[in-house]
Amino acid sequence: MTLNRNLSSDMNILLVLFGIAALFEILGWLLMGQSFLFNTKRLTIIFLQVSIIGIIAVGVTQVIITSGIDLSSGSVVAMSAMVAASFAQASGGFMMYFGGISDLPVIIPIFIGIAVGCAAGWFNGAITAYTGIPPFIPTLGMLVAARGIAVLYNDGSPIIGLTENFKFIGSGIMPVIIFISVAFIFHILLTRTVYGRRTYAIGSNEEAARVSGINIKSHKVLVYTLAGGLAGLAGVVMCARATLAQSGMGQMYELDAIAAAVIGGTSLFGGRGRITGTVIGVIILGVIMSGFTFLRVDFYYQEIAKGLIILSAVIVDQYRHNRSVSGAS
Amino acid sequence: MTMINFQKAYTNLLSEDRGILLVLIGAVFIFELLGWIMQGQTFIFNSQRLFIIILQMAIIGIMAIGVTQIIIMAGIDLSGGSIIAIAGLVAASLAQTSDNFRAVYPTLTDLPVIVPVLAGIAVATLLGWFNGAVIAFTKIPAFIATLAMLVIARGLARGYTSGKQVSFFVEDFGVFGSGATPIWIFLSLALIFHILLTTTVYGRHNYAIGSNEQGARMAGINVKRHKMLVYSMAGFLYGIAAIIQTSRAETAQSGTGLMWELDAIAAVVIGGTSLMGGVGRITGTIIGVLILGIITSGFIFLRIDVFYIAIVKGIILVVAVVVDQYRHKNSHNR
């Protein structure tokens, strides 16, 4: 029964995805005289672009299921990318970050990037859980602080000259494979394990979860830490793909990730959401943005559209919530 | 009646703001001490520096007056900086001289100065009203609605002139940013809204909604209309801030005001306004703005990298909210 309901709610979002794709296909033939969808190059680019946002969105989905929020993801991406890249430089470059450290095995920068993200996430989680302040405040503070650290780390200059092994993580369809694996792992974790049950329990009714013996504080810290770690991983993949790390990376990515999660059916009221929905949500966002570029809509209007999409998704979520509350009583 | 209320406002000023005033004096004292140790000169007894500190904070201060009223109502507004960018550009595009060959509207030059001023303020008020209407009627969390506006208004600002700067203004437009005018505008607005909040029905409704929205509704307050009014009022203040900023910089660009909303929120929270709603004062916000200004300018004085200031501001914001949370818990336990 639960399976059926999950399937049917994902069905709705899938229909939205198909509808939007069909719309752009028709507009493509009308306005540009060519196909939008049946273009393997465009499809590949869409999937590559959404992979980075997708990795972040997997973490953000879990945070939102606990009825939290994380506004720091974009800055954490930049900070992790900078630190990871500084440990991934090939020898012989002329702009070495650490003079003596080069050509390290690829696992070290990956691990360090994820660890930096985890540390930022842990900080977010600890402040949210132990002080009880609204989560958008500490994560807003982290948005500013992590961006500041990313800029300071190399005085605003990019870090270049990465090893071939490190660049491999971002080459070809590697980002898509990493995104799908991450989504699969966390889908299993959320649907099949105690970790998932606790995450949903805290989001639906924190007081009840506390009474039933769940350690709310440590679980929240865990969820935010995982979200930070995923943002760190996204930073690693992103700088590997760009073959350099820059302090301006990932600006506003947190909004895309939140939008993807909410479009995918995750409720900002907590207790409700699925990774499968988020994956579809990320693809919807990617199709819309790529469709706008395809129709040569000005970049500025894409930003405005993104803001309106977030607004509409949250309003629909609110409407659904109101209906389910009045339906229950 | 009015006299008594004024007296009440005055006593509040003295008793409740004493704590933050001590923080301000402490911050000044530390930078003065560090100034003599590290730079061999005074920090505070430099009239030029003092003037610049207050001048720089006047614009953030005007924003913060609007944000204070929103936070008292248990709301939040993250869109201030972006609204300033679009309002500044709209005002600037209508304030250009006719001897400019690349005017945004070649037919609309040399207009009387009131036109750009009203246009800028109107755009900002409209966007503020939109925030309020979305929040009041859809009941979505205020930080999401205004986060969307942050993106939308910034997009509007970039699209308005396709990212190009707008400059060469008529001479009269320079008035608002010259000399100490921004400070006088800031102080007058602070006084007006202090009186509005402490002595009028507008203020009472504001505090009532922030302390207990359900109760306020039961008591017959039109909560939706009041929310729209307060968010529009904040937009109006962002509009004034945009005019001053554009006039002072003698140019408008789409990147203006990036992250200023955070400075304004930090100033408000440092000044003792509670994010839980129902508690807050304009006088506290003024001191909060000064504290933020002293810290920023103190860091520059000690030649500390600007990016450290970003990190410290992030930390200050979080610490101020945590302190507020503990105060809130204590007041509940009592």
Side-chain angles (χ1 to χ4, degrees):
Chain A
M1 162 121 184
T2 322
L3 187 73
N4 271 339
R5 216 170 55 196
N6 277 349
L7 219 66
S8 73
S9 21
D10 280 343
M11 241 11 222
N12 284 336
I13 322 167
L14 255 173
L15 283 178
V16 172
L17 174 60
F18 289 146
I20 291 170
L23 190 70
F24 278 118
E25 183 68 28
I26 295 169
L27 285 174
W29 283 110
L30 286 179
L31 296 166
M32 318 297 295
Q34 54 166 301
S35 169
F36 169 66
L37 269 186
F38 300 102
N39 181 328
T40 42
K41 207 170 163 194
R42 180 163 19 246
L43 279 181
T44 320
I45 292 176
I46 293 178
F47 279 103
L48 276 174
Q49 278 177 338
V50 302
S51 300
I52 310 269
I53 301 287
I55 296 170
I56 304 169
V58 168
V60 169
T61 302
Q62 301 172 60
V63 170
I64 298 181
I65 290 175
T66 68
S67 81
I69 195 85
D70 188 352
L71 301 179
S72 67
S73 324
S75 302
V76 173
V77 165
M79 179 171 72
S80 311
M82 289 299 283
V83 179
S86 68
F87 286 93
Q89 286 183 300
S91 60
F94 57 92
M95 282 173 69
M96 299 302 288
Y97 190 82
F98 298 112
I101 302 176
S102 59
D103 289 329
L104 293 174
V106 68
I107 189 75
I108 293 178
I110 296 177
F111 182 78
I112 289 178
I114 296 175
V116 168
C118 283
W122 176 85
F123 218 78
N124 284 335
I127 294 177
T128 307
Y130 287 95
T131 68
I133 66 178
F136 82 91
I137 287 284
T139 57
L140 203 58
M142 184 57 77
L143 180 153
V144 184
R147 182 70 63 191
I149 292 171
V151 176
L152 270 177
Y153 192 70
N154 200 20
D155 289 328
S157 316
I159 296 180
I160 56 170
L162 310 180
T163 60
E164 288 304 318
N165 281 342
F166 186 76
K167 286 188 217 161
F168 175 71
I169 312 166
S171 65
I173 56 160
M174 273 305 280
V176 182
I177 296 173
I178 295 173
F179 167 43
I180 302 288
S181 326
V182 163
F184 182 73
I185 292 169
F186 281 97
H187 175 69
I188 300 289
L189 272 177
L190 274 181
T191 50
R192 302 256 188 283
T193 66
V194 180
Y195 168 81
R197 274 203 297 282
R198 286 185 180 161
T199 307
Y200 285 104
I202 291 176
S204 336
N205 189 339
E206 195 170 320
E207 204 47 53
R210 195 193 318 275
V211 172
S212 67
I214 297 175
N215 187 338
I216 310 267
K217 284 177 182 162
S218 69
H219 192 80
K220 274 192 183 169
V221 174
L222 177 63
V223 172
Y224 279 92
T225 307
L226 286 174
L230 286 169
L233 175 63
V236 169
V237 175
M238 198 178 169
C239 75
R241 194 172 154 222
T243 69
L244 56 83
Q246 261 177 324
S247 56
M249 274 177 162
Q251 218 135 39
M252 294 281 165
Y253 276 22
E254 58 276 355
L255 284 186
D256 290 9
I258 295 169
V262 176
I263 292 171
T266 304
S267 169
L268 282 175
F269 296 92
R272 194 179 295 185
R274 297 170 313 285
I275 298 292
T276 47
T278 299
V279 172
I280 303 172
V282 161
I283 297 174
I284 290 179
L285 219 54
V287 167
I288 293 177
M289 290 309 144
S290 155
F292 278 172
T293 312
F294 168 62
L295 297 177
R296 307 233 174 92
V297 175
D298 220 328
F299 173 73
Y300 316 116
Y301 297 112
Q302 295 189 17
E303 277 182 73
I304 300 172
K306 210 181 270 181
L308 290 175
I309 292 169
I310 298 171
L311 211 54
S312 332
V314 177
I315 290 173
V316 169
D317 169 42
Q318 176 81 33
Y319 175 71
R320 260 193 316 228
H321 178 76
N322 285 354
R323 218 176 37 179
S324 75
V325 166
S326 58
S329 62
Chain B
M1 185 62 198
T2 332
M3 268 314 287
I4 298 168
N5 278 333
F6 271 119
Q7 212 169 14
K8 198 179 114 202
Y10 184 64
T11 3
N12 272 347
L13 173 74
L14 278 186
S15 59
E16 300 205 18
D17 291 330
R18 201 179 291 148
I20 341 163
L21 239 130
L22 284 177
V23 173
L24 173 63
I25 294 166
V28 168
F29 187 72
I30 289 172
F31 280 115
E32 182 68 26
L33 211 66
L34 287 174
W36 283 110
I37 294 171
M38 296 170 70
Q39 308 284 330
Q41 56 167 305
T42 173
F43 169 66
I44 203 72
F45 298 107
N46 179 329
S47 54
Q48 208 185 342
R49 183 172 6 253
L50 264 181
F51 182 69
I52 291 174
I53 293 177
I54 301 175
L55 197 60
Q56 277 176 340
M57 293 320 285
I59 292 170
I60 298 290
I62 293 172
M63 289 176 77
I65 295 171
V67 174
T68 306
Q69 302 172 59
I70 290 177
I71 297 183
I72 288 175
M73 212 174 55
I76 193 87
D77 190 352
L78 301 178
S79 64
S82 299
I83 291 182
I84 284 186
I86 177 67
L89 275 167
V90 169
S93 68
L94 293 170
Q96 292 182 299
T97 56
S98 55
D99 46 347
N100 177 5
F101 297 113
R102 287 205 256 145
V104 181
Y105 302 113
T107 50
L108 294 174
T109 50
D110 286 333
L111 298 173
V113 72
I114 189 77
V115 176
V117 170
L118 285 184
I121 293 178
V123 167
T125 311
L126 187 73
L127 294 178
W129 171 83
F130 188 80
N131 276 337
V134 169
I135 292 162
F137 284 100
T138 69
K139 297 197 176 68
I140 66 174
F143 83 91
I144 285 283
T146 57
L147 199 59
M149 180 55 81
L150 180 154
V151 183
I152 293 169
R154 186 67 65 188
L156 287 173
R158 294 204 177 118
Y160 187 65
T161 56
S162 309
K164 284 193 273 293
Q165 286 189 12
V166 180
S167 31
F168 303 112
F169 303 140
V170 292
E171 219 167 287
D172 290 346
F173 193 72
V175 169
F176 308 103
S178 65
T181 319
I183 300 174
W184 293 123
I185 298 177
F186 167 46
L187 291 180
S188 324
L189 288 170
L191 180 70
I192 293 170
F193 281 97
H194 175 68
I195 294 171
L196 269 177
L197 275 181
T198 48
T199 63
T200 68
V201 178
Y202 170 80
R204 273 204 298 282
H205 285 185
N206 216 21
Y207 286 101
I209 293 174
S211 335
N212 185 347
E213 191 172 324
Q214 195 62 35
R217 192 173 295 122
M218 299 287 193
I221 298 174
N222 188 336
V223 174
K224 283 181 183 158
R225 206 184 62 192
H226 191 83
K227 277 191 179 169
M228 284 193 286
L229 178 63
V230 173
Y231 280 95
S232 309
M233 204 72 101
F236 169 80
L237 288 162
Y238 301 154
I240 295 177
I243 302 291
I244 295 174
Q245 167 64 25
T246 311
S247 163
R248 198 156 87 95
E250 292 175 1
T251 180
Q253 52 189 43
S254 59
T256 305
L258 213 57
M259 296 278 167
W260 286 5
E261 57 277 352
L262 286 187
D263 283 9
I265 295 171
V268 171
V269 177
I270 292 170
T273 301
S274 168
L275 280 177
M276 316 284 147
V279 177
R281 297 167 315 284
I282 299 287
T283 48
T285 296
I286 297 175
I287 302 172
V289 166
L290 285 177
I291 292 177
L292 215 57
I294 292 284
I295 291 174
T296 311
S297 135
F299 272 45
I300 294 169
F301 168 63
L302 298 177
R303 305 230 176 90
I304 296 171
D305 207 320
V306 247
F307 296 111
Y308 283 110
I309 302 179
I311 300 173
V312 169
K313 271 184 193 161
I315 295 169
I316 290 176
L317 177 67
V318 173
V319 169
V321 177
V322 171
V323 169
D324 166 45
Q325 177 79 12
Y326 277 103
R327 263 199 309 234
H328 181 74
K329 267 187 199 155
N330 283 344
S331 75
H332 263 242
N333 290 343
R334 253 193 315 225

PDB file of all heavy atoms in Angstrom, chain A residues 295-312:
ATOM      1  N   LEU A 295      15.755  27.854 -26.300  1.00  0.00           N
ATOM      2  CA  LEU A 295      14.875  28.835 -26.939  1.00  0.00           C
ATOM      3  C   LEU A 295      15.489  30.239 -26.933  1.00  0.00           C
ATOM      4  O   LEU A 295      14.825  31.217 -27.240  1.00  0.00           O
ATOM      5  CB  LEU A 295      13.516  28.877 -26.225  1.00  0.00           C
ATOM      6  CG  LEU A 295      12.691  27.586 -26.264  1.00  0.00           C
ATOM      7  CD1 LEU A 295      11.411  27.746 -25.463  1.00  0.00           C
ATOM      8  CD2 LEU A 295      12.371  27.197 -27.695  1.00  0.00           C
ATOM      9  N   ARG A 296      16.778  30.311 -26.532  1.00  0.00           N
ATOM     10  CA  ARG A 296      17.532  31.583 -26.482  1.00  0.00           C
ATOM     11  C   ARG A 296      16.855  32.614 -25.579  1.00  0.00           C
ATOM     12  O   ARG A 296      16.849  33.812 -25.905  1.00  0.00           O
ATOM     13  CB  ARG A 296      17.704  32.171 -27.884  1.00  0.00           C
ATOM     14  CG  ARG A 296      18.299  31.205 -28.864  1.00  0.00           C
ATOM     15  CD  ARG A 296      19.517  31.765 -29.574  1.00  0.00           C
ATOM     16  NE  ARG A 296      20.089  30.712 -30.393  1.00  0.00           N
ATOM     17  CZ  ARG A 296      19.754  30.528 -31.667  1.00  0.00           C
ATOM     18  NH1 ARG A 296      18.893  31.304 -32.251  1.00  0.00           N
ATOM     19  NH2 ARG A 296      20.306  29.553 -32.353  1.00  0.00           N
ATOM     20  N   VAL A 297      16.246  32.156 -24.485  1.00  0.00           N
ATOM     21  CA  VAL A 297      15.713  33.099 -23.504  1.00  0.00           C
ATOM     22  C   VAL A 297      16.903  33.676 -22.755  1.00  0.00           C
ATOM     23  O   VAL A 297      17.838  32.959 -22.414  1.00  0.00           O
ATOM     24  CB  VAL A 297      14.754  32.393 -22.518  1.00  0.00           C
ATOM     25  CG1 VAL A 297      14.302  33.346 -21.432  1.00  0.00           C
ATOM     26  CG2 VAL A 297      13.563  31.844 -23.268  1.00  0.00           C
ATOM     27  N   ASP A 298      16.885  34.993 -22.507  1.00  0.00           N
ATOM     28  CA  ASP A 298      17.981  35.674 -21.840  1.00  0.00           C
ATOM     29  C   ASP A 298      18.297  35.021 -20.501  1.00  0.00           C
ATOM     30  O   ASP A 298      17.399  34.582 -19.784  1.00  0.00           O
ATOM     31  CB  ASP A 298      17.577  37.136 -21.596  1.00  0.00           C
ATOM     32  CG  ASP A 298      18.734  38.060 -21.856  1.00  0.00           C
ATOM     33  OD1 ASP A 298      19.873  37.624 -21.623  1.00  0.00           O
ATOM     34  OD2 ASP A 298      18.496  39.190 -22.312  1.00  0.00           O
ATOM     35  N   PHE A 299      19.589  34.969 -20.169  1.00  0.00           N
ATOM     36  CA  PHE A 299      20.020  34.356 -18.917  1.00  0.00           C
ATOM     37  C   PHE A 299      19.342  35.003 -17.711  1.00  0.00           C
ATOM     38  O   PHE A 299      18.993  34.341 -16.745  1.00  0.00           O
ATOM     39  CB  PHE A 299      21.541  34.467 -18.796  1.00  0.00           C
ATOM     40  CG  PHE A 299      22.078  34.029 -17.476  1.00  0.00           C
ATOM     41  CD1 PHE A 299      22.115  32.679 -17.151  1.00  0.00           C
ATOM     42  CD2 PHE A 299      22.523  34.948 -16.539  1.00  0.00           C
ATOM     43  CE1 PHE A 299      22.605  32.261 -15.924  1.00  0.00           C
ATOM     44  CE2 PHE A 299      23.013  34.539 -15.313  1.00  0.00           C
ATOM     45  CZ  PHE A 299      23.052  33.196 -15.015  1.00  0.00           C
ATOM     46  N   TYR A 300      19.140  36.344 -17.789  1.00  0.00           N
ATOM     47  CA  TYR A 300      18.547  37.065 -16.659  1.00  0.00           C
ATOM     48  C   TYR A 300      17.129  36.548 -16.365  1.00  0.00           C
ATOM     49  O   TYR A 300      16.723  36.410 -15.221  1.00  0.00           O
ATOM     50  CB  TYR A 300      18.488  38.553 -16.948  1.00  0.00           C
ATOM     51  CG  TYR A 300      19.750  39.079 -17.552  1.00  0.00           C
ATOM     52  CD1 TYR A 300      19.776  39.612 -18.837  1.00  0.00           C
ATOM     53  CD2 TYR A 300      20.944  39.033 -16.834  1.00  0.00           C
ATOM     54  CE1 TYR A 300      20.955  40.094 -19.384  1.00  0.00           C
ATOM     55  CE2 TYR A 300      22.112  39.504 -17.384  1.00  0.00           C
ATOM     56  CZ  TYR A 300      22.118  40.036 -18.656  1.00  0.00           C
ATOM     57  OH  TYR A 300      23.261  40.504 -19.191  1.00  0.00           O
ATOM     58  N   TYR A 301      16.395  36.276 -17.451  1.00  0.00           N
ATOM     59  CA  TYR A 301      15.028  35.814 -17.248  1.00  0.00           C
ATOM     60  C   TYR A 301      15.007  34.402 -16.689  1.00  0.00           C
ATOM     61  O   TYR A 301      14.063  34.017 -15.996  1.00  0.00           O
ATOM     62  CB  TYR A 301      14.247  35.914 -18.561  1.00  0.00           C
ATOM     63  CG  TYR A 301      14.144  37.343 -19.026  1.00  0.00           C
ATOM     64  CD1 TYR A 301      14.795  37.784 -20.160  1.00  0.00           C
ATOM     65  CD2 TYR A 301      13.437  38.271 -18.269  1.00  0.00           C
ATOM     66  CE1 TYR A 301      14.743  39.103 -20.547  1.00  0.00           C
ATOM     67  CE2 TYR A 301      13.380  39.597 -18.646  1.00  0.00           C
ATOM     68  CZ  TYR A 301      14.029  40.011 -19.785  1.00  0.00           C
ATOM     69  OH  TYR A 301      13.979  41.322 -20.147  1.00  0.00           O
ATOM     70  N   GLN A 302      16.058  33.625 -16.982  1.00  0.00           N
ATOM     71  CA  GLN A 302      16.132  32.278 -16.390  1.00  0.00           C
ATOM     72  C   GLN A 302      16.168  32.370 -14.871  1.00  0.00           C
ATOM     73  O   GLN A 302      15.545  31.570 -14.172  1.00  0.00           O
ATOM     74  CB  GLN A 302      17.377  31.558 -16.887  1.00  0.00           C
ATOM     75  CG  GLN A 302      17.343  31.289 -18.368  1.00  0.00           C
ATOM     76  CD  GLN A 302      18.477  30.393 -18.819  1.00  0.00           C
ATOM     77  OE1 GLN A 302      19.103  29.721 -18.005  1.00  0.00           O
ATOM     78  NE2 GLN A 302      18.726  30.384 -20.107  1.00  0.00           N
ATOM     79  N   GLU A 303      16.936  33.365 -14.366  1.00  0.00           N
ATOM     80  CA  GLU A 303      17.015  33.510 -12.905  1.00  0.00           C
ATOM     81  C   GLU A 303      15.643  33.855 -12.327  1.00  0.00           C
ATOM     82  O   GLU A 303      15.227  33.295 -11.319  1.00  0.00           O
ATOM     83  CB  GLU A 303      17.983  34.635 -12.550  1.00  0.00           C
ATOM     84  CG  GLU A 303      19.421  34.209 -12.542  1.00  0.00           C
ATOM     85  CD  GLU A 303      20.309  35.360 -12.127  1.00  0.00           C
ATOM     86  OE1 GLU A 303      20.298  35.707 -10.938  1.00  0.00           O
ATOM     87  OE2 GLU A 303      20.980  35.933 -13.003  1.00  0.00           O
ATOM     88  N   ILE A 304      14.967  34.799 -12.993  1.00  0.00           N
ATOM     89  CA  ILE A 304      13.640  35.205 -12.518  1.00  0.00           C
ATOM     90  C   ILE A 304      12.718  33.987 -12.528  1.00  0.00           C
ATOM     91  O   ILE A 304      11.993  33.726 -11.558  1.00  0.00           O
ATOM     92  CB  ILE A 304      13.066  36.328 -13.403  1.00  0.00           C
ATOM     93  CG1 ILE A 304      13.999  37.531 -13.353  1.00  0.00           C
ATOM     94  CG2 ILE A 304      11.664  36.710 -12.968  1.00  0.00           C
ATOM     95  CD1 ILE A 304      13.639  38.633 -14.321  1.00  0.00           C
ATOM     96  N   ALA A 305      12.783  33.200 -13.627  1.00  0.00           N
ATOM     97  CA  ALA A 305      11.939  32.016 -13.729  1.00  0.00           C
ATOM     98  C   ALA A 305      12.239  31.039 -12.605  1.00  0.00           C
ATOM     99  O   ALA A 305      11.335  30.449 -12.007  1.00  0.00           O
ATOM    100  CB  ALA A 305      12.158  31.346 -15.082  1.00  0.00           C
ATOM    101  N   LYS A 306      13.538  30.900 -12.273  1.00  0.00           N
ATOM    102  CA  LYS A 306      13.913  29.975 -11.204  1.00  0.00           C
ATOM    103  C   LYS A 306      13.272  30.400  -9.886  1.00  0.00           C
ATOM    104  O   LYS A 306      12.733  29.571  -9.152  1.00  0.00           O
ATOM    105  CB  LYS A 306      15.431  29.942 -11.088  1.00  0.00           C
ATOM    106  CG  LYS A 306      15.965  28.628 -10.599  1.00  0.00           C
ATOM    107  CD  LYS A 306      17.481  28.655 -10.488  1.00  0.00           C
ATOM    108  CE  LYS A 306      18.156  28.222 -11.772  1.00  0.00           C
ATOM    109  NZ  LYS A 306      19.629  28.219 -11.651  1.00  0.00           N
ATOM    110  N   GLY A 307      13.312  31.710  -9.598  1.00  0.00           N
ATOM    111  CA  GLY A 307      12.678  32.215  -8.388  1.00  0.00           C
ATOM    112  C   GLY A 307      11.195  31.907  -8.373  1.00  0.00           C
ATOM    113  O   GLY A 307      10.645  31.455  -7.356  1.00  0.00           O
ATOM    114  N   LEU A 308      10.535  32.097  -9.517  1.00  0.00           N
ATOM    115  CA  LEU A 308       9.088  31.843  -9.586  1.00  0.00           C
ATOM    116  C   LEU A 308       8.802  30.350  -9.438  1.00  0.00           C
ATOM    117  O   LEU A 308       7.800  29.959  -8.829  1.00  0.00           O
ATOM    118  CB  LEU A 308       8.534  32.364 -10.911  1.00  0.00           C
ATOM    119  CG  LEU A 308       8.520  33.900 -11.037  1.00  0.00           C
ATOM    120  CD1 LEU A 308       8.077  34.333 -12.425  1.00  0.00           C
ATOM    121  CD2 LEU A 308       7.599  34.510  -9.981  1.00  0.00           C
ATOM    122  N   ILE A 309       9.702  29.492  -9.976  1.00  0.00           N
ATOM    123  CA  ILE A 309       9.497  28.043  -9.855  1.00  0.00           C
ATOM    124  C   ILE A 309       9.552  27.620  -8.387  1.00  0.00           C
ATOM    125  O   ILE A 309       8.702  26.864  -7.911  1.00  0.00           O
ATOM    126  CB  ILE A 309      10.551  27.273 -10.676  1.00  0.00           C
ATOM    127  CG1 ILE A 309      10.319  27.505 -12.173  1.00  0.00           C
ATOM    128  CG2 ILE A 309      10.512  25.785 -10.366  1.00  0.00           C
ATOM    129  CD1 ILE A 309      11.448  27.020 -13.042  1.00  0.00           C
ATOM    130  N   ILE A 310      10.574  28.151  -7.663  1.00  0.00           N
ATOM    131  CA  ILE A 310      10.689  27.823  -6.235  1.00  0.00           C
ATOM    132  C   ILE A 310       9.415  28.239  -5.510  1.00  0.00           C
ATOM    133  O   ILE A 310       8.821  27.472  -4.747  1.00  0.00           O
ATOM    134  CB  ILE A 310      11.891  28.529  -5.595  1.00  0.00           C
ATOM    135  CG1 ILE A 310      13.184  28.064  -6.245  1.00  0.00           C
ATOM    136  CG2 ILE A 310      11.941  28.280  -4.100  1.00  0.00           C
ATOM    137  CD1 ILE A 310      14.389  28.858  -5.821  1.00  0.00           C
ATOM    138  N   LEU A 311       8.992  29.486  -5.792  1.00  0.00           N
ATOM    139  CA  LEU A 311       7.808  30.029  -5.130  1.00  0.00           C
ATOM    140  C   LEU A 311       6.595  29.133  -5.397  1.00  0.00           C
ATOM    141  O   LEU A 311       5.873  28.755  -4.471  1.00  0.00           O
ATOM    142  CB  LEU A 311       7.553  31.440  -5.669  1.00  0.00           C
ATOM    143  CG  LEU A 311       6.909  32.450  -4.739  1.00  0.00           C
ATOM    144  CD1 LEU A 311       7.699  32.547  -3.452  1.00  0.00           C
ATOM    145  CD2 LEU A 311       6.868  33.815  -5.413  1.00  0.00           C
ATOM    146  N   SER A 312       6.386  28.753  -6.670  1.00  0.00           N
ATOM    147  CA  SER A 312       5.216  27.937  -7.000  1.00  0.00           C
ATOM    148  C   SER A 312       5.294  26.581  -6.314  1.00  0.00           C
ATOM    149  O   SER A 312       4.296  26.082  -5.787  1.00  0.00           O
ATOM    150  CB  SER A 312       5.097  27.720  -8.506  1.00  0.00           C
ATOM    151  OG  SER A 312       5.654  28.754  -9.212  1.00  0.00           O
TER     152      SER A 312
END
